[in-house]
Amino acid sequence: MTTLPPLTASAVAPAAALDSAPRFRRVFRLEPGHGAVASATLRASALGVYEAQLDGAPVAEDVLAPGWSSYEWRLRYQTYDLTDRLRAASPEDGTPHVLTAVVGNGWHLGQLGWQEKRRLYGEQRALLAQLDVVYADGHVQTVDTDESWQARASEILADDLYDGQTIDARRREADWASPRRADDDAGWGAVAVVAVGAELVEPTGPPVRRQQQIAPQRIWTSPNGRTLVDFGQNLVGWIRLTARGAAGEMITVRHAEVLEHDELGTRPLRHADATDRFILSGGEDTFEPTFTFHGFRYAEVSGFPGELTAAALTAVVVHSEMPRTGTFRSSHELVNRLHENVVWGLRGNFLDVPTDCPQRDERLGWTGDIAVFAPTAAHLFDVRGFLADWLRDVAAEQRAADGFVPYVVPDVLKYQDMPAEFTPVESAAIWSDAAVWVPWALWEAYGDREVLAAQYESMTAHLRRVESLLSPTGLWDTGFQFGDWLDPDASPHRPADAKADPAVVATACVIRTARMVAEAAEILGHDADAATFRALAARVQETFLEHYVDADGRIASDATTVYTLAIVFDLLDGTRRAAAGERLAELVTAAEYKVSTGFAGTPYITEALSRTGHVETAYRLLLETGCPSWLYPVTMGATTVWERWDSMLPDGSINPGEMTSFNHYALGSVAAWLHRVVGGLAPAEPGYARVRIAPQPPQGAMTEELTWAETAQETPQGLVTVRWERVEEELVLDVRLPEGVEADVDVSATVPSSAPQVIVGDGAERRMRFSREDAQAPVR
């Protein structure tokens, strides 16, 4: 097998300024005298985003390549196999071939963050491409980005990920990339070769691609005379539009997630224009703005020639290519919709980088969001490669900052003017803990030591940095903390104001993080490190208990979040743990089962309640429909998870705060509890090498609220399914396990007369019946 030449580190940019996204072209001919083409491999990247073609046909289905990485240190490239495209060609006949690409601004040059800053990484768009053709005799012909390329303007007059795209169909040339035009140099100009400063790396994550197409559900005229379109689902992508009209006429498409007062609700977008403009050619035109993306359910269309019908519009859903692995359903339709909203939230925010939101002038890789959501994500989709690639950027940013894990990765906040309350910028609990919590979630879900090995330096650097920030008392009680961000009782204008003491939250996180790093060290054979980190965890836990926990289990600040974290992070002994569980249940009841936790506590509160025997309270909290609650947005028509419980108020107006998104996944972390506790399926060992099946159906007054649930998980071992149903006085459990996989089955929390047992999978479904009167009686 022939080894390909090293990838060139040079790219090409237009030698002269252009008024649009540049097209690039390189005409080449196969070299005769070496036999037939044995293989052809294209490796490509861009300072910007690119779409490449060979002989007028796309080289792949990818969009927005090469994606967004920490460009200062890592620029990813894609590899495409073009063997079949060139194998049929004869090198002897001298037929021209054309390699082309169009390059947009993307993340490299476009707006990033909420201060309208652009060109954070560079000043010009450039293409990097290298086609290596291997012939039958082993000869390699290399076509790379050098001065022989050409550049010219395109029909894309403007493109920005936040603001949208403008396409002028009058400037289109149907065959500009075709070999038929290979000898036509009219309009083509020279290129300049530019150096690529970052390391060129192969991505471990999947490409971004079109995933679904959704037709309009309704088209109507608003009270202000605007033409509005509802696609029925808050999604991320763009609208493909077809129209015929007079040359030069412009169609404008504005996007938003919600309506307010029956008009497009654009205030939450802040500085993101989220507007596409399409200029007609005079014939039939189809527009697809693939150098931008929007978070939207609704669109406002103006300037459309004639009557706008559903046939003219299609919403194209775009996100990273990830197989779906986990599903959940139950007898409760609002809970099912909640779960579906979490799935759609992941789809919208897993677009190359795990972002906080996909619509406003932000769309950043906030570390706190993914720190708490990673276990849920791993239930829903195969996110191994996606998050492993992002973790490489975490490590790169961290190495450049002496162990500090930024609040967003890639870190563009270092180029912004940070708010005063965020300064000095330093490690923060949960947010910076993503360096540890995310790889640990991948280890638990997939059992792959490689992710721990790859991130071990990053994990330990973070922990050592945090250890250096502890006060002389041994607590993490100094410096800025996000704490229980977005506590629902806080003012919409002061999202960091929370009932939970931020030092209690932060110190609890130190203990959890130290334990995870210690376990990772042991798995990887770093025994001395493991002992050191365990000792740190024990030392901080002792200090936590001394300063923050009374003998009767009362925790400083006496808020739902501090009890939640102390229970789930296993910080309390048996007596104080039971007392903390009782106090947590009291607080939840006193709040009338409405959510009283923010980003820190919400992902874990139902878990804390169910672990301490308060399953009925957990279900009351889950099934509450008043605001704030998980189901309130569902009753308001939400199709994704909101950033705030009251992102939309009961009167249909948008939350008055400056920070309101209708597509945030962090508060959807409860879906992990739906899978593990309601559905009853969790890994007993990393990667589901052993399975735990322990559903906890509702109890007491909540028994009839949810009478069955089912979950399925495509694990590294194969498909596992669990379904339970209450049938009169029995709990009927249906289980399917891959052959040879053992499962610990335990329903004693629901049926006290039953004893835990072990079953071994054979690929077939097994039915088990449990009743309070009889011992369990497995039935085939």
Side-chain angles (χ1 to χ4, degrees):
M1 182 176 180
T2 303
T3 301
L4 296 180
L7 184 60
T8 180
S10 61
V12 291
L18 300 176
D19 63 354
S20 64
R23 296 171 177 165
F24 293 96
R25 181 179 80 158
R26 170 69 154 85
V27 179
F28 69 97
R29 288 169 172 79
L30 298 177
E31 295 180 353
H34 299 287
V37 171
S39 68
T41 304
L42 173 66
R43 288 171 286 176
S45 188
L47 305 182
V49 292
Y50 73 93
E51 294 178 354
Q53 296 182 322
L54 175 64
D55 293 339
V59 300
E61 298 177 359
D62 303 0
V63 294
L64 296 170
W68 186 16
S69 55
S70 293
Y71 293 133
E72 301 96 332
W73 306 284
R74 299 177 66 244
L75 179 63
R76 294 176 298 193
Y77 64 87
Q78 286 68 45
T79 301
Y80 306 108
D81 184 356
L82 302 182
T83 305
D84 290 343
R85 299 275 197 95
L86 293 177
R87 180 172 281 156
S90 171
E92 311 300 327
D93 64 11
T95 300
H97 297 276
V98 184
L99 189 60
T100 60
V102 182
V103 177
N105 287 310
W107 295 272
H108 203 279
L109 293 98
Q111 182 182 176
L112 291 173
W114 53 83
Q115 295 175 353
E116 298 186 89
K117 293 189 176 183
R118 293 173 168 81
R119 300 180 182 272
L120 300 183
Y121 297 107
E123 292 296 327
Q124 59 185 336
R125 296 184 252 209
L127 172 73
L128 183 150
Q130 183 169 316
L131 174 65
D132 293 299
V133 182
V134 180
Y135 294 88
D137 67 354
H139 174 72
V140 180
Q141 175 187 2
T142 297
V143 178
D144 58 12
T145 33
D146 58 19
E147 293 87 349
S148 59
W149 284 70
Q150 300 168 299
R152 66 179 300 179
S154 73
E155 70 272 22
I156 301 172
L157 304 186
D159 65 281
D160 185 85
L161 297 178
Y162 291 8
D163 289 341
Q165 191 165 331
T166 299
I167 303 174
D168 187 344
R170 297 172 300 179
R171 298 176 63 161
R172 282 178 170 163
E173 299 173 77
D175 59 352
W176 72 272
S178 168
R180 293 191 299 271
R181 299 279 298 276
D183 296 325
D184 182 0
D185 292 332
W188 289 98
V191 298
V193 175
V194 298
V196 175
E199 179 185 3
L200 293 167
V201 296
E202 260 194 297
T204 57
V208 177
R209 289 179 176 165
R210 302 170 181 86
Q211 302 293 336
Q212 294 174 248
Q213 299 185 28
I214 297 180
Q217 304 298 301
R218 182 187 174 209
I219 299 175
W220 75 102
T221 302
S222 76
N224 287 344
R226 309 283 188 177
T227 300
L228 299 181
V229 183
D230 178 9
F231 289 93
Q233 172 63 54
N234 194 15
L235 59 94
V236 173
W238 50 71
I239 292 173
R240 183 188 301 128
L241 181 146
T242 300
R244 178 186 290 273
E249 289 188 347
M250 180 185 291
I251 301 171
T252 302
V253 183
R254 301 171 66 218
H255 304 77
E257 296 182 297
V258 295
L259 302 177
E260 186 175 33
H261 308 309
D262 299 318
E263 302 290 344
L264 209 64
T266 58
R267 181 174 61 82
L269 300 178
R270 301 190 303 212
H271 295 120
D273 197 29
T275 300
D276 296 325
R277 296 172 176 86
F278 306 133
I279 302 171
L280 302 179
S281 69
E284 182 168 284
D285 299 311
T286 296
F287 299 92
E288 187 168 355
T290 57
F291 284 167
T292 189
F293 65 88
H294 311 291
F296 68 100
R297 171 176 171 171
Y298 300 94
E300 177 189 291
V301 181
S302 59
F304 190 87
E307 181 184 0
L308 181 65
T309 66
L313 300 164
T314 301
V316 180
V317 179
V318 176
H319 60 75
S320 292
E321 184 93 341
M322 301 170 294
R324 181 76 183 272
T325 54
T327 58
F328 172 88
R329 289 181 63 248
S330 74
S331 61
H332 201 293
E333 286 307 315
L334 293 182
V335 173
N336 294 344
R337 182 67 245 190
L338 168 65
H339 188 272
E340 188 67 7
N341 289 0
V342 178
V343 172
W344 275 100
L346 183 151
R347 286 176 177 143
N349 284 291
F350 275 40
L351 197 160
D352 201 64
V353 167
T355 53
D356 60 324
C357 61
Q359 74 298 92
R360 67 185 180 215
D361 57 350
E362 196 164 354
R363 314 185 195 190
L364 305 178
W366 281 94
T367 47
D369 298 57
I370 193 59
V372 298
F373 188 72
T376 301
H379 275 292
L380 302 176
F381 289 84
D382 184 345
V383 296
R384 278 177 290 189
F386 178 87
L387 289 178
D389 202 301
W390 179 76
L391 284 168
R392 291 186 176 186
D393 286 319
V394 171
E397 298 281 1
Q398 191 180 4
R399 281 191 295 270
D402 193 27
F404 163 60
V405 179
Y407 307 150
V408 302
V409 173
D411 183 16
V412 298
L413 298 188
K414 60 178 177 274
Y415 302 117
Q416 311 271 331
D417 302 318
M418 293 295 288
E421 62 268 25
F422 282 36
T423 54
V425 176
E426 185 49 274
S427 298
I430 302 176
W431 275 252
S432 299
D433 285 322
V436 174
W437 295 10
V438 174
W440 189 255
L442 296 180
W443 161 249
E444 287 192 320
Y446 306 112
D448 184 356
R449 292 176 76 256
E450 291 306 311
V451 69
L452 294 181
Q455 296 304 126
Y456 184 71
E457 180 184 346
S458 167
M459 296 168 77
T460 57
H462 164 62
L463 181 56
R464 290 190 172 105
R465 175 104 181 193
V466 168
E467 184 181 10
S468 75
L469 299 175
L470 301 182
S471 69
T473 61
L475 303 171
W476 199 1
D477 57 1
T478 60
F480 166 76
Q481 293 290 347
F482 290 94
D484 199 26
W485 186 256
L486 282 179
D487 181 321
D489 293 320
S491 162
H493 307 291
R494 298 181 63 85
D497 287 355
K499 300 181 294 294
D501 184 333
V504 177
V505 172
T507 306
C509 291
V510 175
I511 303 165
R512 185 188 202 216
T513 294
R515 287 175 178 169
M516 286 180 175
V517 179
E519 289 194 49
E522 183 174 347
I523 291 165
L524 297 172
H526 303 302
D527 295 339
D529 280 357
T532 298
F533 299 140
R534 281 201 186 90
L536 172 62
R539 198 164 59 246
V540 177
Q541 182 182 9
E542 183 178 351
T543 305
F544 178 91
L545 295 173
E546 176 188 352
H547 287 267
Y548 293 142
V549 186
D550 293 343
D552 61 0
R554 191 63 59 96
I555 301 177
S557 67
D558 194 34
T560 46
T561 286
V562 297
Y563 293 105
T564 292
L565 299 185
I567 292 166
V568 175
F569 295 178
D570 196 21
L571 308 183
L572 309 172
D573 57 32
T575 301
R576 284 188 284 189
R577 176 186 174 86
E582 291 294 332
R583 181 56 180 160
L584 176 61
E586 288 174 4
L587 291 172
V588 171
T589 302
E592 299 180 329
Y593 307 102
K594 294 181 175 64
V595 173
S596 57
T597 47
F599 264 41
T602 298
Y604 309 108
I605 188 168
T606 50
E607 179 74 20
L609 289 166
S610 59
R611 282 192 189 184
T612 53
H614 299 283
V615 175
E616 181 178 345
T617 305
Y619 276 101
R620 284 182 179 271
L621 184 63
L622 172 71
L623 300 179
E624 173 62 40
T625 57
C627 186
S629 69
W630 280 287
L631 296 187
Y632 165 73
V634 176
T635 66
M636 292 291 289
T639 61
T640 42
V641 174
W642 296 350
E643 180 177 22
R644 298 176 182 267
W645 304 107
D646 58 351
S647 285
M648 179 165 284
L649 304 179
D651 65 359
S653 61
I654 297 171
N655 187 292
E658 287 294 312
M659 190 178 69
T660 298
S661 156
F662 293 89
N663 193 351
H664 253 68
Y665 53 61
L667 299 181
S669 298
V670 71
W673 186 77
L674 295 180
H675 283 255
R676 293 174 178 241
V677 177
V678 180
L681 173 57
E685 295 178 5
Y688 296 83
R690 189 180 184 93
V691 177
R692 175 171 170 78
I693 297 172
Q696 295 189 49
Q699 297 177 9
M702 304 303 292
T703 300
E704 299 305 317
E705 291 292 319
L706 198 148
T707 58
W708 64 265
E710 61 185 22
T711 186
Q713 192 73 41
E714 189 63 56
T715 76
Q717 321 305 321
L719 181 66
V720 180
T721 65
V722 177
R723 187 184 194 279
W724 63 263
E725 183 175 7
R726 291 189 184 274
V727 180
E728 297 178 346
E729 296 301 314
E730 289 187 319
L731 179 69
V732 179
L733 188 63
D734 293 312
V735 176
R736 185 187 302 270
L737 296 169
E739 189 169 352
V741 172
E742 292 187 351
D744 301 313
V745 180
D746 185 0
V747 297
S748 58
T750 306
V751 185
S753 62
S754 66
Q757 61 180 283
V758 176
I759 62 174
V760 181
D762 58 6
E765 185 175 284
R766 178 177 303 189
R767 170 159 290 189
M768 312 172 75
R769 296 179 182 273
F770 304 86
S771 71
R772 292 182 180 274
E773 290 75 22
D774 305 316
Q776 68 274 18
V779 179
R780 296 290 291 183

